[in-house]
Amino acid sequence: QVQLVESGGGLVQSGGSLRLSCAASGSILSIEVMGWFRQAPGKERELVARITSGGSTNYADSVKGRFTISRDNAKNTVYLQMNSLKSEDTAVYYCNIARVRELGQAGLHDHWGQGIQVTVSS
């Protein structure tokens, strides 16, 4: 089965930086889209950034210019470099992989990580 392991979260001061990592493992043939979502207390889950297998990226307006998403296809790993962090960035961040082809399974599938806490102190 496909598993996602997230790391790199924690507590950081306003203006500081963190780098999140998400490694996918299992019987994976290909992953079309890898991305990060977040959910703050009392808020809806929202897309933060995504990247395709070809390297095309999209960012939420609130993080443009501050966050950078990247991926290592050989390692099935996606990264989120977060700079100039603000209190508003405090949330649980979730790794997502979409349009995944897997050995022994028909069609395309999506998978979610368990979530990792990012807390930005003022």
Side-chain angles (χ1 to χ4, degrees):
Q1 65 182 33
V2 173
Q3 297 183 104
L4 301 178
V5 179
E6 299 149 316
S7 61
L11 175 65
V12 67
Q13 295 179 341
S14 296
S17 298
L18 284 174
R19 190 192 194 202
L20 304 183
S21 299
C22 174
S25 63
S27 55
I28 297 169
L29 293 172
S30 63
I31 305 170
E32 176 60 25
V33 185
M34 307 183 81
W36 292 92
F37 290 71
R38 68 185 181 187
Q39 188 165 21
K43 302 294 181 64
E44 297 282 320
R45 185 175 297 190
E46 64 175 348
L47 175 68
V48 178
R50 65 190 289 276
I51 183 168
T52 70
S53 60
S56 297
T57 59
N58 297 99
Y59 296 92
D61 289 341
S62 59
V63 308
K64 286 181 180 176
R66 300 188 298 121
F67 291 11
T68 302
I69 191 168
S70 61
R71 63 190 281 174
D72 184 334
N73 291 328
K75 296 180 178 180
N76 282 333
T77 299
V78 61
Y79 307 94
L80 186 68
Q81 179 66 47
M82 304 184 293
N83 298 326
S84 301
L85 283 161
K86 308 173 181 179
S87 295
E88 305 94 275
D89 296 316
T90 295
V92 176
Y93 284 69
Y94 297 89
C95 179
N96 171 257
I97 61 174
R99 304 181 197 177
V100 182
R101 294 186 181 273
E102 305 168 29
L103 278 172
Q105 291 199 8
L108 301 173
H109 305 273
D110 291 5
H111 299 278
W112 291 88
Q114 79 284 355
I116 188 165
Q117 180 70 47
V118 171
T119 302
V120 184
S121 65
S122 58

